Amino acid sequence: MAAIGVAVFAAGCGTVKGNLTPATAIDPTEGIVVSRTSCGSGIYKTEWYPAGVRSKGYFGAINFAFVLGCNNGLLAYAVPEGTYFMGKVVGMTYLDYPESDTWSFTVKAGQLNYVGDFVVPTTRDSGPILVAPTRVYERSAEARQELKAKYPWLAERFEFVMALAQRSSKDAPTQPAATP
């Protein structure tokens, strides 16, 4: 069982680069995902999958491209150019999301792709943790300021572009929510 866990963790790591430093080599085919994720009690991360890749179930988890950890402030990852969708919310509970009914964004190479601020609210009434629908807020002004403070070499080297996540579902709002 431990071997399966290690394989699941290692398989999801792929070519994504986190914990960026000025010495991190950014390939010309990579873009930088810039985002914040705030989660309610019992939720630790969201898993993001390349478009067209299965995310459902335990073994679907081996396919994730990168993780946006909760409540860690602004995060920046170098990822291959392409489209990604939120396939799981993970913590003391987890939810699988089909690609056709979740948030997704497209990363362009050579740019700082601000994809929005994700909020994953939860509630608990003496039972299991219930995850409310994830919302995305456009807080690019705050993201730019935090980017300049936390990753100044990225802010100097790459163009900051809006690549806000959109809902895939025909029944859901297609635009991120306004800043509350």
Side-chain angles (χ1 to χ4, degrees):
M1 193 58 137
I4 291 173
V6 170
V8 166
F9 176 75
C13 295
T15 60
V16 172
K17 299 169 189 154
N19 300 320
L20 301 176
T21 70
T24 304
I26 308 295
D27 190 275
T29 63
E30 295 174 322
I32 311 296
V33 171
V34 176
S35 181
R36 283 189 213 86
T37 303
S38 301
C39 302
S41 177
I43 301 299
Y44 310 123
K45 64 181 181 175
T46 58
E47 292 180 355
W48 293 83
Y49 295 76
V53 170
R54 178 184 165 90
S55 64
K56 186 174 179 179
Y58 182 75
F59 290 106
I62 66 173
N63 298 320
F64 74 89
F66 61 94
V67 167
L68 292 178
C70 295
N71 309 320
N72 293 322
L74 189 77
L75 299 174
Y77 290 96
V79 304
E81 183 174 77
T83 300
Y84 298 88
F85 71 96
M86 186 176 71
K88 288 189 190 305
V89 169
V90 181
M92 295 176 71
T93 187
Y94 78 92
L95 289 175
D96 287 318
Y97 296 101
E99 183 176 357
S100 62
D101 190 28
T102 190
W103 293 97
S104 66
F105 53 79
T106 299
V107 174
K108 300 225 178 179
Q111 298 179 336
L112 294 168
N113 298 266
Y114 173 69
V115 299
D117 284 25
F118 297 89
V119 177
V120 183
T122 61
T123 60
R124 186 177 201 160
D125 292 332
S126 72
I129 293 172
L130 302 175
V131 180
T134 299
R135 303 286 296 167
V136 177
Y137 295 93
E138 190 283 302
R139 295 181 178 141
S140 59
E142 295 92 339
R144 283 178 198 257
Q145 291 304 325
E146 194 171 343
L147 184 72
K148 288 177 185 174
K150 192 171 180 178
Y151 303 102
W153 64 95
L154 292 175
E156 292 168 4
R157 184 172 166 200
F158 296 101
E159 177 186 5
F160 186 96
V161 298
M162 301 290 277
L164 293 175
Q166 302 292 310
R167 274 303 288 249
S168 304
S169 172
K170 65 180 184 279
D171 299 324
T174 58
Q175 296 297 319
T179 301

